[in-house]
């Protein structure tokens, strides 16, 4: 495989984490414009743990997950009374606040491989884990892709759990959910927190792969893309968000003559897809219809 | 003597939210008469009114209003042709004053006939004195009965030939219901044709001229008051509770 | 004295926010929707106008109407593409996401039209004057004046005319307004066109005080306009005016005290605090107390 293809596949894998984290929040019926910030927190956390503290990669990624999830937990408590447009705007401002605070984080250490540590707008340089451990781009892709696969497979298994079914009901109709004894508060908080953790984990991988991060990377456009992927993919199945990722990066960015106009095409494409499929391509309705068909087939 | 038909519906079929709610309804309403459409919950009564008022589109069938085919026309055109709907639950504009609600009801002629509209508002105030008292109050702050009067008055502001009313008694105290039905009867006596959808069958039987019964999207009876009172089966099956 | 000068500068700068917030507020007031592509449509309108100006070399008198025309045209495009297809209750969030996606598209088209990082923008060249030891920028005085006039006119139109009754009826309940024979589609399109013209005026005035335009203008407009509107009160026209000035005032003081990054940090902190404490905005309804109107409004 050429390096170009490996890089594109890795980028697709990494951004899928944001798309899936946006998907998790959509399940409980909210729209978050702020997942990019948790991605960023995860990236900074991993960079700090590996490059500054010299922690093990597994520990570092777990820390990225936990710390971003904690930030998301804060968001979910702050916005406990908000929903719809209000939640969306609140998540956007929370994310921008987190990102802007990174401009003020300044703690650098001189090592023999150069300056290491968060340095305000200059970013965090020399995240050398890949080089120190001699990880080739192909191997890194394998690591990222297998993490993503593990995440998706566990989500697919959890789809039929009571947790997910109740969460979907909360997302569909809070009043109905409440009337049968489901507490929307619990599901909202847990899904927003989980989503933050997933984004943070992806951000951790991103920091390792990129070896350099800065606050401006985690701006709103990253969030727009992640959200758009999960929206056009649809809420029916955890594979939905990947459809969006594939259309944008796999199709538009990698085809060279299209890539110059990628943002123009993709923005229009999202709006057009939303007209045709307001619930996304793999909508819950489509999934339940397919399931019913399969059951009928089995019975026959 | 053949009376003039203001509304004729032939084999109307309408789907609502992927479910076929009307499965071939045919009925007609005579000019100047009060036609009641009865039936249990989910019989398709509201779907029928929504289709007549152009909010839902029918899949099949025909609607003729005042001799003109109006099937699946836009609501705005229908209002101009003289069809007005008094929706269920009143649906007044809560953040507009009573007077503004009435002005909004005259939407189709707001620009052309300014003075005429003012006159009509005075006429509404004369008919419903409570609206005059509350003229500058926000619609949302009024009681249910007052809102229902406003809703009727607002529909009348468009000078309809035919008034469609969807469950005017819903959620109102019995005394207020009596008052509203007296108003409906009065309007009808003044010559306005009315199609009334109602669940409270006993009240409807007091004032209606013609009756249709809907069940599960189909029309299962049509006739005069005498005819419906004779049909014991229908009474038992559908009017049991409310007719008492 | 320094304190007063900073306050005056802040309030004057805030007039730009007020101008942008008015367009947001108009759309939210009528449609109960948030158009996140608003800033980008204004940027695109400006970019096309600059491109035309470059080709034809026209004077500023003709340049202004061209800006207004293209701003309202691109705003209408957003309405047709992102809002008109989603006019059901479930469409509130879908249309916002759709406008979010179109934001990328419009920004990118503008970037292609304005390939350099900064482009000069015709300035009105109104001089700064001094009064009692405090400096006032003439062009910003003009901004605050125009913002005030526009909000006053909009207020009169919405609350005192028959057209305003129709607007508010659609805003109260689009479905019921349809029953009255109102063509809500047309009302929505007109609202977007008017918001585009307002935004065009705002964009022209703001950019001429800066005398330059960058590709970040769209983002700037959307964020500042949204924040100013949400501080003042969702859909409240007077709220948008005062919200903009308040935002300008607070930003000026915080960035003076703590450094330039705090201009943005202030913006988002205020937005978050207002959302948490009083989501309807300082001059809007309290959505917690008034649960019924909360359902209507979202």
């Amino acid at each position: 495989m050429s390096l170009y293809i490996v890089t594109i596949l890795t980028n697709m894998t990494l951004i899928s984490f944001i798309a899936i984290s946006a998907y998790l929040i959509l399940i409980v019926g909210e729209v978050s414009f702020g997942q990019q910030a948790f991605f960023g927190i995860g990236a900074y956390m991993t960079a700090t743990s590996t490059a500054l503290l010299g922690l093990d990669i597994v520990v570092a990624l777990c820390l990225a997950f936990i710390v971003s999830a904690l930030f998301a937990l804060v968001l979910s408590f702050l916005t406990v009374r908000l929903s719809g447009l209000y939640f969306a705007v609140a998540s956007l401002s929370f994310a921008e606040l987190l990102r802007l605070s990174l401009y003020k984080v300044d703690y650098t250490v001189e090592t023999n491989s150069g300056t290491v540590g968060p340095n305000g707008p200059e970013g965090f340089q020399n995240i050398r884990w890949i080089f120190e451990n001699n990880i080739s781009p192909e191997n890194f892709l394998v690591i990222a892709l297998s993490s993503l696969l593990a995440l998706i497979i566990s989500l697919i298994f959890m789809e039929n759990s009571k947790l997910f079914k109740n969460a979907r009901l909360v997302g569909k109709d809070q009043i109905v959910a409440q009337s049968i004894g489901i507490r929307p508060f619990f599901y909202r908080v847990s899904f927003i927190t989980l989503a933050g953790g997933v984004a943070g984990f992806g951000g951790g991988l991103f920091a390792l792969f990129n070896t350099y991060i800065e606050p401006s990377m985690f701006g709103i456009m990253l969030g727009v893309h992640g959200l758009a992927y999960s929206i056009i993919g649809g809420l029916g199945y955890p594979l939905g968000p990947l459809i969006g990722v594939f259309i944008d990066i796999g199709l538009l960015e990698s085809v060279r003559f299209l890539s110059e106009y990628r943002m123009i095409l993709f923005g229009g494409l999202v709006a057009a897809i939303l007209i045709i499929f307001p619930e996304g391509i793999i909508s819950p309705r489509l999934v339940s219809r397919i399931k019913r068909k399969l059951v009928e087939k089995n019975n026959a | 003597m053949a009376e003039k038909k203001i509304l004729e519906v032939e084999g109307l079929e309408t789907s609502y939210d992927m479910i076929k709610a009307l499965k071939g309804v045919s009925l007609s309403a005579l000019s100047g008469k009060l036609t009641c459409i009865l039936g249990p919950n989910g019989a398709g009564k509201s779907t029928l009114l929504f289709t007549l008022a152009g909010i839902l589109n029918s899949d099949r069938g025909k609607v003729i209003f005042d001799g003109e085919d109006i099937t699946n026309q836009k609501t705005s055109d229908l209002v101009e042709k003289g069809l007005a709907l008094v929706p269920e639950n009143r649906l007044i504009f809560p953040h507009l004053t009573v007077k503004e609600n009435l002005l909004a009801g005259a939407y189709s002629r707001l620009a052309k006939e300014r003075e005429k509209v003012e006159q009509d508002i005075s006429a509404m105030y004369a008919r419903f004195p409570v609206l005059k008292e509350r003229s500058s109050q926000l619609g949302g702050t009024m009681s249910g009965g007052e809102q229902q009067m406003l809703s009727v008055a607002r529909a009348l502001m468009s000078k309809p030939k035919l008034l469609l009313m969807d469950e005017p008694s819903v959620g109102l105290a019995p005394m207020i219901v009596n008052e509203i039905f007296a108003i409906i009867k009065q309007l009808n006596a003044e010559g306005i044709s009315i199609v009334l959808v109602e669940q409270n069958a006993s009240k409807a039987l007091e004032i209606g001229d013609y009756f249709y019964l809907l069940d599960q999207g189909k029309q299962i009876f049509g006739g005069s008051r005498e005819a419906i009172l004779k049909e014991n089966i229908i009474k038992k099956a559908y009017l049991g509770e409310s007719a008492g | 004295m320094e304190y007063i000068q900073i306050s005056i500068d802040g309030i004057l700068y805030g007039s730009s926010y007020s101008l942008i917030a008015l367009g947001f507020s108009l759309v939210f007031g009528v449609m109960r929707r948030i158009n996140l592509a608003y800033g980008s449509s204004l940027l695109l309108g400006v970019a096309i106008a600059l491109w035309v100006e470059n080709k034809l070399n026209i004077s500023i008198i003709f340049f202004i109407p061209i800006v207004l025309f293209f701003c309202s045209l691109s705003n209408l495009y957003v309405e047709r593409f992102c809002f008109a297809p989603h006019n059901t209750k479930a469409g509130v969030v879908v249309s916002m996401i759709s406008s979010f996606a179109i934001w990328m598209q419009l920004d990118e088209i503008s970037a292609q039209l304005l390939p350099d990082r900064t482009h000069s923008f015709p300035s009105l060249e109104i001089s700064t004057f001094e009064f009692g030891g405090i400096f006032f920028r003439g062009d910003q005085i003009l901004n605050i004046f125009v913002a005030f006039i526009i909000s006053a006119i909009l207020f009169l139109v919405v609350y005192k005319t028959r057209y305003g009754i129709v607007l508010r009826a659609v805003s109260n309940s689009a479905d019921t307004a349809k029953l009255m024979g109102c063509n809500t589609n047309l009302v929505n399109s007109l609202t977007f066109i008017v918001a585009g013209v307002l935004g065009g005026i705002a964009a022209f005035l703001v950019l001429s005080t800066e005398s330059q335009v960058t590709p970040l203008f769209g983002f700037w407009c959307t964020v500042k306009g949204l924040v100013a509107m949400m501080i003042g009160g969702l859909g409240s026209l007077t709220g948008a005016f005062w919200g903009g000035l308040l935002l300008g005032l607070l930003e000026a003081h915080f960035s003076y005290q703590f450094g330039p990054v705090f201009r943005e940090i202030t913006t988002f902190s205020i937005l978050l605090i207002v959302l948490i404490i009083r989501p309807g905005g300082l001059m809007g309804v309290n959505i917690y107390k008034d649960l019924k109107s909360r359902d209507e409004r979202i």
Side-chain angles (χ1 to χ4, degrees), chain A residues 201-219:
Chain A
F201 187 89
L205 288 173
F206 171 78
L208 298 177
F209 178 66
N210 223 41
T211 71
Y212 157 69
I213 49 178
E214 60 172 31
S216 66
M217 288 173 172
F218 311 109

Side-chain angles (χ1 to χ4, degrees), chain B residues 5 8 13 28 34 40 48 54-55 69-72 87-88 100 102 133 153 168 175 205 215 220 235:
Chain B
K5 283 178 182 166
E8 266 189 281
E13 295 181 16
S28 58
L34 205 165
L48 174 63
I55 300 163
D69 188 343
I70 57 154
T71 318
N72 292 347
E88 194 183 343
E100 287 169 344
L102 293 176
E133 282 165 38
M175 253 179 59
L205 280 169
D215 185 34
I220 53 169
K235 196 171 174 184

Side-chain angles (χ1 to χ4, degrees), chain B residues 217-230:
Chain B
K218 281 187 190 138
Q219 187 237 106
I220 53 169
F221 172 84
S224 63
R225 185 183 315 157
E226 292 72 33
I228 199 168
L229 288 175
K230 268 186 222 154

Side-chain angles (χ1 to χ4, degrees), chain A residues 50-71:
Chain A
T50 56
L52 275 180
L53 307 174
L55 294 179
D56 184 65
I57 170 77
V58 178
V59 179
L61 286 174
C62 285
L63 268 178
F65 183 94
I66 291 167
V67 172
S68 332
L70 283 178
F71 275 101

Side-chain angles (χ1 to χ4, degrees), chain C residues 69-80:
Chain C
F69 175 74
F70 284 111
C71 283
S72 48
L73 199 65
S74 57
N75 221 22
L76 182 65
Y77 165 73
V78 173
E79 195 268 332
R80 288 283 98 197

